[in-house]
Amino acid sequence: MRLLLKRRYTPRGSLGRLYLGQKQLCFIREAPKSCYDQAIHCLEEGTYELEAAHSEEEGWFIRVGERGLIKARTGESRPGMNELCPVSSYRADGTPLFTKLAFLKLLDELTPFWERGEILDLQIVSTGIPYQLESCLEQSYS
């Protein structure tokens, strides 16, 4: 089964929508594209295998390939490098709402697939950058 993340880039972060088929599961927020910030950035476009995981320190999270994570973050904290953070909705000022709830709903949607032994993939695609810094001239997929 394949999930699709359609995102757009801004200098302050990458915003997207996560779909399973035609159904939108949640919004996703991430760190900016690497050309905006080399120190902390989002995963590159591509296809990644998803795997549920648990640790005593962090609780439940989802591994995205070898480097990425899907995890809950509060609205005040910014996503870390290669982190995808589910969001249910946004306030008018752009503050994310119900982040923990969005993650739990996402986990509930995906758990039956893992229980049946299915492999879940995440495909990440993006819209082009409307204005480009010199460092952003690398290919963006649309």
Side-chain angles (χ1 to χ4, degrees):
M1 180 65 62
R2 179 162 289 174
L3 282 78
L4 177 64
L5 173 59
K6 294 181 180 179
R7 69 177 173 203
R8 63 183 172 81
Y9 299 114
T10 69
R12 290 184 292 157
S14 300
L15 304 173
R17 295 172 186 252
L18 184 63
Y19 295 93
L20 179 60
Q22 297 298 316
K23 179 182 177 185
Q24 180 179 325
L25 299 177
C26 60
F27 294 100
I28 295 286
R29 64 189 184 116
E30 303 173 77
K33 187 170 174 66
S34 59
C35 61
Y36 292 119
D37 189 345
Q38 290 292 320
I40 183 167
H41 55 81
C42 61
L43 280 170
E44 293 299 317
E45 291 89 355
T47 303
Y48 303 90
E49 187 174 333
L50 300 178
E51 177 187 1
H54 184 271
S55 74
E56 289 296 320
E57 307 84 43
E58 304 214 19
W60 285 100
F61 58 94
I62 300 170
R63 282 194 185 97
V64 181
E66 309 240 342
R67 305 184 316 245
L69 296 174
I70 298 176
K71 60 191 277 187
R73 280 212 178 259
T74 61
E76 299 83 41
S77 65
R78 301 194 64 157
M81 187 151 137
N82 297 328
E83 283 184 359
L84 293 87
C85 301
V87 175
S88 291
S89 60
Y90 290 93
R91 287 191 179 117
D93 67 358
T95 305
L97 294 172
F98 309 117
T99 54
K100 183 72 171 177
L101 178 62
F103 177 77
L104 293 174
K105 284 183 172 183
L106 178 60
L107 208 52
D108 285 346
E109 285 279 343
L110 302 182
T111 298
F113 295 102
W114 285 312
E115 287 175 345
R116 290 192 300 262
E118 291 188 43
I119 295 174
L120 285 171
D121 288 330
L122 171 65
Q123 181 179 6
I124 301 174
V125 296
S126 66
T127 58
I129 300 171
Y131 56 91
Q132 294 191 352
L133 300 172
E134 187 67 32
S135 58
C136 287
L137 292 176
E138 62 194 56
Q139 175 71 35
S140 269
Y141 301 97
S142 45

